Amino acid sequence: QRVIAVISVNDGDGKSTIASALAQYAAAITHQKTALIDCDTHQRTLSSRFAPDSPHSFAQVIDGSLTPAGALIDPPNCAFSICTAPKEENTLGNIEMLMSQAMTKFVKAIGREYDLVILDTAGLLKNVETRALIGMADIVIMVVDARTTTVEDVAAIKDLAPDLENK
């Protein structure tokens, strides 16, 4: 089990913080070769934090202009590698990329080169592409902000992603 998707009900629930902490822990403490992929094309939190000047993103792998390994960089003071989200404004194209067979192939290719792949996603309730990313993952970690996430919200995402409980 090499691919972990970190999801939440809504944006701003702390999933990017958890995803980056998990990546750092896995790489630095357990010595797993770890790749973190910022799949949140809406917020780009991890891309902005760890690789704001990166000229590459997973979009170039999807369109065939870059190899999977070429999309990953090693940020300073981090034990993991990161692949950034595209810098372009959120468009249907980004959604189509994340839900494409090429994205699935990219995640599988990175999984062959790394011990652990962590996907940071957009909030599930409002972003259909997160459902496709769940399908690419072996394990899903759901981050819940107890101050804002309701039991009804959690029930709603279980309806949106029926295979969630199996992961």
Side-chain angles (χ1 to χ4, degrees):
Q1 296 181 330
R2 295 180 169 197
V3 180
I4 298 174
V6 181
I7 69 164
S8 66
V9 174
N10 299 301
D11 292 328
D13 284 351
K15 69 190 157 357
S16 296
T17 300
I18 298 297
S20 61
L22 179 60
Q24 184 68 12
Y25 176 83
I29 305 299
T30 68
H31 306 289
Q32 295 181 67
K33 187 176 178 186
T34 305
L36 179 60
I37 304 174
D38 186 356
C39 297
D40 187 349
T41 59
H42 305 278
Q43 301 285 323
R44 297 188 76 255
T45 302
L46 295 178
S47 299
S48 298
R49 183 181 307 154
F50 294 111
D53 300 322
S54 175
H56 305 300
S57 74
F58 65 77
Q60 293 155 310
V61 177
I62 303 305
D63 73 16
S65 63
L66 192 63
T67 65
L72 289 156
I73 63 164
D74 297 325
N77 303 316
C78 292
F80 58 84
S81 299
I82 188 168
C83 179
T84 62
K87 290 182 182 178
E88 301 85 44
E89 291 297 314
N90 181 29
T91 64
L92 182 60
N94 287 339
I95 295 170
E96 290 172 338
M97 278 190 292
L98 286 165
M99 297 179 73
S100 70
Q101 283 296 102
M103 184 67 177
T104 301
K105 288 180 183 177
F106 168 54
V107 171
K108 286 181 181 179
I110 295 300
R112 287 189 294 273
E113 298 297 320
Y114 285 78
D115 300 322
L116 184 62
V117 178
I118 300 171
L119 308 176
D120 181 51
T121 69
L124 180 58
L125 205 53
K126 296 180 182 174
N127 300 288
V128 67
E129 67 271 22
T130 299
R131 295 175 219 163
L133 295 167
I134 289 170
M136 296 175 203
D138 301 311
I139 298 170
V140 175
I141 297 173
M142 183 168 65
V143 177
V144 176
D145 184 339
R147 297 167 297 175
T148 59
T149 305
T150 66
V151 172
E152 292 79 19
D153 290 338
V154 173
I157 66 166
K158 285 182 178 180
D159 289 340
L160 291 173
D163 61 337
L164 184 60
E165 286 194 48
N166 297 330
K167 297 187 177 215

